[in-house]
Amino acid sequence: MNPENQILQANAAFTKNLYAILARKKGNVFFSPISIHAVLSMLHQGAQGDTAQVLAHTLNNPDAKSTAEGYRAVTKRLNAFKQVTLLTANKIYGVEGEAKVRSEFAKGIEENFKGEFEELKVEDAAKAAKSVNDWVAEKTQKNIKSIVNEAMFKKNLSLLVVNAIFFKGEWVSKFKENFTKDDEFFVEEKNSVGVKMMHQKGNYWYVQDEELDAQIIEIPYKGFDVKMMVILPTENDIEKLEAKLAKTDFGKLGKNSKLTDVHLYLPKFKMEETIELNNVLSEMGLKSIFDIKEANFKGIFDTTSLKDNIFVSDVVQKAFIEVNEGGTVAAAATRAAMVLGCAPTKSQPVTFKVDHPAVFMLLAAHGKDADASSILFYGRLSHPRH
């Protein structure tokens, strides 16, 4: 298997394991799995000993060299899409006067992850935080304006690794605003909230998945490189669906779908989530990277310059999404040619109405030879807000 496919499969497995923990909370869930996976994979490049092993195992990564090659291919493809805006950017911040970062590590991050490196002066915590936050705001077109705070720079910080991801795309077929109506969304079987429900009739890749007891639809963005997949349980029981998804191969989701006439009803919504990941990642097997005694990142630093052992202090992600008639803006991922050449199935139109909790993903295609897609964003829509 080539390194690109290895990373795509690793990202899918990591997404499933991460979501199984995040899904324990009630309400909306939204995150960018590939963003988190990329940050941890950069750390994997400089990890040694047991730390390297636990990172590889938890991330489902191959060896560090193959991981770097895979991300080089993934990053190049994601940044080459023409008809949607998809920006991924990675940056490593060292601390001026502290441990010296190995030049070969910084070079590898730049070449394989398209990452940048900068040394920060942390004596002025406010200035250091502003520098990082300004970079994130720029890369996400100001959709995410703050990812660090001053307090982070008042600790013994030696290394900060940041990944930014931004997506903006128009639907291939936009919803007409005059078709958007007030409607109900049943957060529970007998408890509903008001929503702005978009509607249109069109041809979509669709399947009624019997194993999941759910409908699956793919809604493409212009260029067909990125699509939104929505998985809607037949019954209003999102926990039952999530339990089944935890045992499902994501690469096979929607594989039996057919181009179908669909009455599509989709609520307008926005989500903004801040996720503190230390406890989640520890539960997934990465407890040692947060432990000053156990963490081993000596492949990142010149060990002769180390004052103390280096460990990860915080992993935090902020993610944002807005879905409306024109398309989607999201910050914190094919069968396109077949759409143009296939006729829809000759049957009565089906109705796909997202009027109760559902799971959704933004997926980025990786060509006909790829075994999977990049999972750019993943979420649970439990309570639409617009």
Side-chain angles (χ1 to χ4, degrees):
M1 185 184 299
N2 67 51
E4 182 176 12
N5 274 334
Q6 286 180 308
I7 291 302
L8 295 178
Q9 291 194 3
N11 182 35
F14 176 76
T15 301
K16 187 161 56 176
N17 295 335
L18 178 59
Y19 183 72
I21 299 174
L22 296 179
R24 293 174 191 164
K25 80 158 196 162
K26 301 295 183 182
N28 294 333
V29 176
F30 183 65
F31 65 104
S32 172
I34 199 170
S35 178
I36 299 168
H37 194 273
V39 165
L40 296 173
S41 292
M42 289 194 294
L43 289 177
H44 179 205
Q45 297 301 299
Q48 295 183 349
D50 291 345
T51 302
Q53 291 182 20
V54 297
L55 277 164
H57 177 74
T58 302
L59 297 173
N60 294 279
N61 279 350
D63 60 88
K65 181 175 182 294
S66 296
T67 296
E69 292 174 359
Y71 260 106
R72 184 167 62 225
V74 168
T75 303
K76 180 179 179 181
R77 193 180 296 273
L78 294 184
N79 283 282
F81 295 153
K82 301 297 184 184
Q83 295 191 51
V84 297
T85 300
L86 180 60
L87 307 172
T88 61
N90 304 303
K91 192 163 187 174
I92 297 174
Y93 293 92
V95 177
E96 192 176 82
E98 294 292 331
K100 184 179 179 182
V101 173
R102 293 180 181 272
S103 58
E104 59 267 32
F105 173 78
K107 182 180 179 181
I109 294 301
E110 180 180 356
E111 291 180 349
N112 298 308
F113 293 82
K114 298 301 180 186
E116 306 171 29
F117 179 78
E118 179 182 335
E119 284 196 337
L120 285 171
K121 294 182 179 180
V122 298
E123 292 85 358
D124 187 338
K127 187 175 180 180
K130 183 178 185 301
S131 177
V132 176
N133 288 331
D134 285 350
W135 179 83
V136 169
E138 175 193 351
K139 294 301 182 181
T140 62
Q141 298 187 5
K142 297 184 178 179
N143 281 288
I144 294 177
K145 298 178 181 178
S146 173
I147 198 167
V148 297
N149 54 42
E150 293 181 32
M152 187 174 294
F153 296 95
K154 294 177 180 177
K155 298 185 286 188
N156 294 326
L157 181 72
S158 294
L159 192 73
L160 177 65
V161 186
V162 179
N163 169 278
I165 181 169
F166 173 81
F167 171 78
K168 183 176 183 179
E170 295 183 359
W171 305 119
V172 169
S173 176
K174 293 183 181 180
F175 293 82
K176 291 184 172 61
E177 290 189 21
N178 60 317
F179 286 177
T180 298
K181 306 294 183 185
D182 291 333
D183 207 335
E184 288 183 297
F185 183 97
F186 290 86
V187 293
E188 297 171 340
E189 189 174 352
K190 296 181 180 180
N191 180 20
S192 67
V193 296
V195 296
K196 296 291 184 183
M197 187 71 77
M198 304 181 295
H199 170 242
Q200 71 172 322
K201 181 176 178 291
N203 299 327
Y204 296 94
W205 289 102
Y206 165 90
V207 65
Q208 174 73 50
D209 190 303
E210 301 298 335
E211 290 186 12
L212 293 177
D213 192 18
Q215 294 174 289
I216 301 177
I217 196 168
E218 298 174 14
I219 313 171
Y221 297 95
K222 282 188 174 179
F224 295 97
D225 291 314
V226 182
K227 63 189 177 185
M228 176 182 283
M229 176 181 285
V230 184
I231 307 170
L232 180 69
T234 304
E235 300 176 2
N236 191 344
D237 191 341
I238 192 68
E239 292 181 359
K240 185 178 179 181
L241 171 64
E242 289 170 340
K244 292 181 178 180
L245 282 172
K247 302 175 183 178
T248 300
D249 180 352
F250 279 8
K252 296 180 180 178
L253 283 173
K255 287 297 185 183
N256 294 323
S257 62
K258 297 179 180 179
L259 201 58
T260 306
D261 285 332
V262 179
H263 282 288
L264 174 60
Y265 295 85
L266 184 67
K268 296 172 67 170
F269 66 91
K270 292 181 183 179
M271 290 186 199
E272 186 169 4
E273 296 282 325
T274 300
I275 306 172
E276 296 182 1
L277 289 160
N278 289 31
N279 290 338
V280 176
L281 295 175
S282 293
E283 185 174 341
M284 292 178 70
L286 294 181
K287 186 177 181 180
S288 62
I289 74 171
F290 302 104
D291 190 314
I292 191 171
K293 294 181 180 179
E294 294 186 30
N296 183 347
F297 292 108
K298 293 179 180 177
I300 297 179
F301 298 98
D302 177 357
T303 54
T304 61
S305 69
L306 283 177
K307 297 179 179 179
D308 295 295
N309 193 32
I310 303 299
F311 65 101
V312 178
S313 57
D314 294 287
V315 180
V316 179
Q317 182 181 78
K318 286 194 174 183
F320 166 87
I321 187 169
E322 178 178 1
V323 175
N324 56 33
E325 289 89 353
T328 299
V329 175
T334 213
R335 300 190 319 228
M338 296 178 64
V339 175
L340 302 177
C342 298
T345 55
K346 299 297 182 180
S347 60
Q348 291 297 314
V350 301
T351 296
F352 191 102
K353 188 171 185 179
V354 184
D355 62 356
H356 57 274
V359 168
F360 66 95
M361 310 179 199
L362 265 66
L363 305 169
H366 279 259
K368 63 181 181 179
D369 296 326
D371 296 331
S373 301
S374 287
I375 305 174
L376 303 179
F377 298 94
Y378 193 105
R380 176 212 292 152
L381 179 63
S382 286
H383 197 299
R385 298 176 178 88
H386 54 83

